[in-house]
Amino acid sequence: MPGKYTVKLTKGDQTYTEQLDVAIDPRAKYSLEERKAEFELSMKIYRELEHMTYGVVAIEGVRDAANARAAKLAEKDPLRKQLQQLAADCDALRSKIVATKEGGMITGEERIREHLGQLYGSVAGYDGKPTDYQVARTESLGHELQDVIDDFQKLTQKDLPGINSGLKKKKMEAISVLAEADWQKKKEESSLAAGAGMRAAEGQMREMD
C-alpha cells in the first residue's frame, strides 16, 4: 500500500536504514480504495494459504507417525490395523487439499491448494479492485479448507485417545497433533535460521576473497 516505509539492511555488525515513499503509479486507472481492496484480499488469500500449509503438515505428521508405529507391530496386532486405518483416513483428508498425481495442475487434477494458488495469482497480479467472483471464491475456498481441517480434528479426537492408550501399553511413543501456533513458531524460527545461515555464508565468502 502507498505510504512511508523503512528499509533496514544488516551487514555484519553494521546496520543501514533508509526511508522510502511508496506511491500509486500516476498512470494507474484505479483509486486508492480499489488498491486497498486488492491488497486486503491478497493478504486474506495469503493467510488461507498459510492455514492450508499448516493443515497439510499436521495431517501428514499424524499419518507418518501412525505408519511408523504400525510398521513396528506384528501383522495380526489389532493396534496395527487401527494405526493403518488412521493413516489411510489422514491420506483421504489430505487428498482433498492437495493434488495426489505428480504434476499437479498439469495432470488436470486440482484441489484446494491449486485453486487457492490460481486465485492468489489472479488477485495479486492486478492492483485494481478484485471482482465480486474473486471475493466470493475466497470465502468459498476458505470454508472448504476449514471443513477438511475440522474433519481432521474430529478424526484425531475420536481415534487418538484409544490408539495412544494402546501405544502406551506397548511402551511406544504417543501420537500428537501439531498445533497451528507451534507450526507458526517453527516457521518463524526456520526463517530466522535461514537468514542467519545466509549471512554466515556471505561472511565466509568475504573471508575467502
Side-chain angles (χ1 to χ4, degrees):
M1 289 297 296
K4 293 183 181 295
Y5 294 84
T6 299
V7 178
K8 181 179 179 181
L9 171 66
T10 301
K11 182 179 181 182
D13 297 330
Q14 296 178 308
T15 299
Y16 306 89
T17 59
E18 186 66 50
Q19 297 292 321
L20 292 180
D21 288 328
V22 177
I24 287 181
D25 188 331
R27 299 167 297 180
K29 298 180 180 180
Y30 49 81
S31 67
L32 177 59
E33 286 302 311
E34 290 173 328
R35 175 71 181 94
K36 183 179 179 181
E38 182 275 336
F39 177 78
E40 289 177 348
L41 188 61
S42 293
M43 292 307 299
K44 184 172 184 177
I45 301 171
Y46 177 82
R47 288 190 292 271
E48 290 291 353
L49 286 165
E50 283 208 319
H51 187 46
M52 177 202 70
T53 303
Y54 154 72
V56 172
V57 170
I59 292 170
E60 290 177 342
V62 172
R63 178 201 63 186
D64 294 346
N67 280 328
R69 286 156 181 74
K72 297 177 181 178
L73 297 173
E75 189 72 33
K76 295 182 179 179
D77 192 319
L79 182 57
R80 179 187 174 106
K81 293 182 179 179
Q82 286 181 273
L83 287 163
Q84 290 174 330
Q85 185 59 56
L86 174 62
D89 290 341
C90 285
D91 244 351
L93 289 170
R94 179 182 177 276
S95 69
K96 294 181 179 181
I97 299 177
V98 180
T100 56
K101 295 179 182 177
E102 290 295 329
M105 289 181 284
I106 298 176
T107 67
E109 183 187 21
E110 297 180 5
R111 296 291 185 267
I112 296 173
R113 179 181 64 179
E114 288 71 35
H115 293 315
L116 275 174
Q118 292 170 6
L119 182 61
Y120 181 78
S122 64
V123 173
Y126 174 64
D127 290 337
K129 182 180 178 181
T131 65
D132 291 341
Y133 170 78
Q134 289 172 328
V135 174
R137 186 64 170 150
T138 301
E139 290 295 323
S140 175
L141 287 171
H143 287 306
E144 190 176 338
L145 171 63
Q146 191 58 51
D147 285 345
V148 178
I149 294 177
D150 286 346
D151 285 344
F152 169 66
Q153 296 292 344
K154 291 174 185 175
L155 172 68
T156 54
Q157 287 167 9
K158 176 175 69 73
D159 289 0
L160 280 184
I163 287 176
N164 282 335
S165 177
L167 289 171
K168 184 178 180 180
K169 290 176 182 177
K170 295 179 182 294
K171 300 186 185 305
M172 297 176 71
E173 185 180 355
I175 298 174
S176 60
V177 180
L178 177 66
E180 190 159 6
D182 291 336
W183 172 80
Q184 190 70 40
K185 184 178 179 181
K186 287 181 181 179
K187 184 173 74 73
E188 292 170 358
E189 289 173 350
S190 296
S191 296
L192 289 173
M198 288 179 65
R199 290 194 292 273
E202 290 169 357
Q204 290 175 352
M205 290 183 68
R206 287 198 296 272
E207 289 176 4
M208 291 174 63
D209 292 342

